[in-house]
Amino acid sequence: MDDLKFGTRNKRGDWSPNGRIEVAPFWAWPPKILKVLHWLPEYIWPWNTFHMLTALAYWYFIVPSVETMKTLSWGWPLYLYAVNAAAIFVMYGSIELFFYVKRVQGNRFKYNAKFPSEQPSDVFWFKSQNIDNFMRSFFISIPLWTVAEVLMLWCFANGTASWVNWHDHPYYLAALVFVAPVIHEVHFFVIHRLIHTPLLYKWIHSVHHNSVNPSPWSSLSMHPVEGFLYHAVALWHLVIPSNPIVALFQLHIAGFGAVNGHIGFEKLEVTEGTAVDSHAYAHYLHHKYFEVNYGGDGLIPLDKWFGTWHDGTKEGEVQMQSRFEKKKARMNDKNTQASSRT
Ligand SMILES: [Zn+2]
Ligand SMILES: [Zn+2]
């Protein structure tokens, strides 16, 4: 595919898409019904369908019986960890293998012209972004994903959570499935904004941001506090009446869905003429500029409401720069006041 039909490439070789990142069309006023109808299939397919299919596969083939889950032991949690790790290894690993190791698509649709393996840095374990991100994912974040999963399943098994049955309340649960990505968006925005406050950033979130040019392995490369808080989104289903399948769906939007923001390519070419959209650009800009796009790509436009939205256009860039300038001026003022007091 010719990526220059969809975007432009600068002197450094970095590619950026034409047009702007649009927030979900139901926020438009007056309502744009046609746009909403066009957006709906994209909301459902392919990513959320994939997360639901994996949730169903887990529930019917992997998650142990309710009787087993009533008791906390080492066996079934370790088994769940092994499955989560294997699934991430296959899913993230195949994107890494084809697009970053074999580079089947070369630089087409790639936001940053460089590949992480070409940029060794002291900030990473063994100076390698790939090794560092891989180890943090498998030895920190995926274990903590499993902790949230085990806690959630154990509460359902014990009756601590209110378990709504599909047979009795199919519409309620279907609606809950439909809004699960919204819950994800709000949960992620809140914890993410929180760990961007100076102290927590330094202590926790800087680990994730070491990857300025993220690849799939960067998705779950997190400090343990972030690794747990991020996956704890599934625990909302212990508070609201829900069902373990919906809670698993919620967890998979987080665990498997983390890759979306970190693919590094706008499109993954499947055949000569077809490609899957990654929806990665908004979060790529977050990794590039740090203080923009704390949420996802505009399902709930929290960044727009809080003034931190970068829609990928020149105007978005100008707005961001003027916000940075103002912040700098505020900091300078504070410093001058502090030094005049001493
Ligand atoms: Zn990220
Ligand atoms: Zn961040």
Side-chain angles (χ1 to χ4, degrees):
M1 271 170 116
D2 181 5
D3 59 355
L4 295 177
K5 280 188 184 150
F6 298 87
T8 48
R9 182 165 275 109
N10 68 13
K11 274 188 220 140
R12 274 199 305 266
D14 299 345
W15 182 90
S16 51
N18 289 335
R20 64 183 67 233
I21 311 167
E22 300 274 4
V23 302
F26 52 78
W27 295 104
W29 190 261
K32 293 181 177 154
I33 304 292
L34 271 180
K35 270 199 159 176
V36 174
L37 290 177
H38 192 257
W39 166 87
L40 259 181
E42 234 175 69
Y43 180 60
I44 296 166
W45 179 264
W47 297 104
N48 283 328
T49 305
F50 174 78
H51 301 318
M52 182 40 100
L53 288 177
T54 56
L56 289 168
Y58 265 62
W59 183 249
Y60 288 108
F61 302 114
I62 289 153
V63 170
S65 70
V66 171
E67 225 24 64
T68 309
M69 294 192 296
K70 276 185 180 158
T71 319
L72 279 180
S73 63
W74 282 103
W76 64 274
L78 279 175
Y79 170 64
L80 285 179
Y81 167 74
V83 176
N84 292 336
I88 285 296
F89 186 78
V90 171
M91 183 190 175
Y92 288 17
S94 33
I95 303 178
E96 282 275 350
L97 179 67
F98 289 110
F99 294 91
Y100 283 80
V101 181
K102 291 183 183 254
R103 302 188 190 172
V104 291
Q105 197 172 301
N107 256 331
R108 289 193 299 283
F109 297 104
K110 191 163 187 317
Y111 305 129
N112 189 317
K114 293 220 167 74
F115 284 82
S117 57
E118 296 159 358
Q119 297 171 295
S121 163
D122 281 336
V123 300
F124 296 116
W125 286 344
F126 308 104
K127 293 193 179 183
S128 157
Q129 179 176 324
N130 284 336
I131 298 174
D132 174 282
N133 288 181
F134 181 89
M135 290 177 74
R136 286 183 190 275
S137 301
F138 285 87
F139 300 126
I140 297 173
S141 297
I142 301 174
L144 290 164
W145 158 354
T146 314
V147 168
E149 185 176 32
V150 166
L151 195 62
M152 177 271 284
L153 290 168
W154 178 69
C155 287
F156 272 113
N158 279 292
T160 318
S162 65
W163 185 330
V164 180
N165 216 303
W166 287 95
H167 192 73
D168 300 330
H169 299 283
Y171 298 115
Y172 169 74
L173 287 176
L176 199 54
V177 168
F178 197 77
V179 298
V182 173
I183 297 175
H184 175 84
E185 183 92 357
V186 177
H187 177 90
F188 177 60
F189 182 90
V190 171
I191 60 155
H192 192 193
R193 187 66 196 81
L194 187 74
I195 54 179
H196 263 272
T197 51
L199 267 182
L200 295 182
Y201 181 83
K202 217 173 148 195
W203 173 41
I204 297 166
H205 193 45
S206 54
V207 167
H208 183 67
H209 271 285
N210 283 338
S211 309
V212 180
N213 176 16
S215 84
W217 291 138
S218 315
S219 317
L220 294 175
S221 172
M222 296 169 179
H223 182 279
V225 173
E226 181 177 2
F228 181 73
L229 286 179
Y230 178 68
H231 293 102
V233 63
L235 304 182
W236 285 110
H237 293 263
L238 303 180
V239 183
I240 40 178
S242 187
N243 177 288
I245 294 176
V246 188
L248 279 170
F249 174 57
Q250 188 78 66
L251 188 64
H252 289 191
I253 294 173
F256 292 115
V259 78
N260 284 91
H262 306 91
I263 284 179
F265 291 82
E266 174 81 354
K267 288 177 187 289
L268 299 180
E269 295 171 6
V270 183
T271 63
E272 188 59 33
T274 51
V276 178
D277 287 332
S278 66
H279 298 273
Y281 197 47
H283 195 67
Y284 171 76
L285 291 174
H286 177 72
H287 275 262
K288 190 172 175 189
Y289 297 120
F290 302 88
E291 292 174 13
V292 289
N293 299 352
Y294 295 106
D297 61 355
L299 175 60
I300 305 288
L302 289 157
D303 280 293
K304 244 185 156 169
W305 298 339
F306 287 95
T308 49
W309 182 234
H310 188 326
D311 63 2
T313 61
K314 287 235 162 63
E315 300 90 78
E317 187 85 12
V318 170
Q319 273 172 22
M320 176 190 76
Q321 291 303 348
S322 86
R323 193 160 50 84
F324 288 176
E325 292 296 325
K326 277 184 203 150
K327 190 180 171 190
K328 226 167 142 190
R330 274 202 311 273
M331 302 283 272
N332 283 344
D333 277 358
K334 257 191 205 162
N335 288 343
T336 343
Q337 276 169 16
S339 59
S340 65
R341 253 183 255 131
T342 51

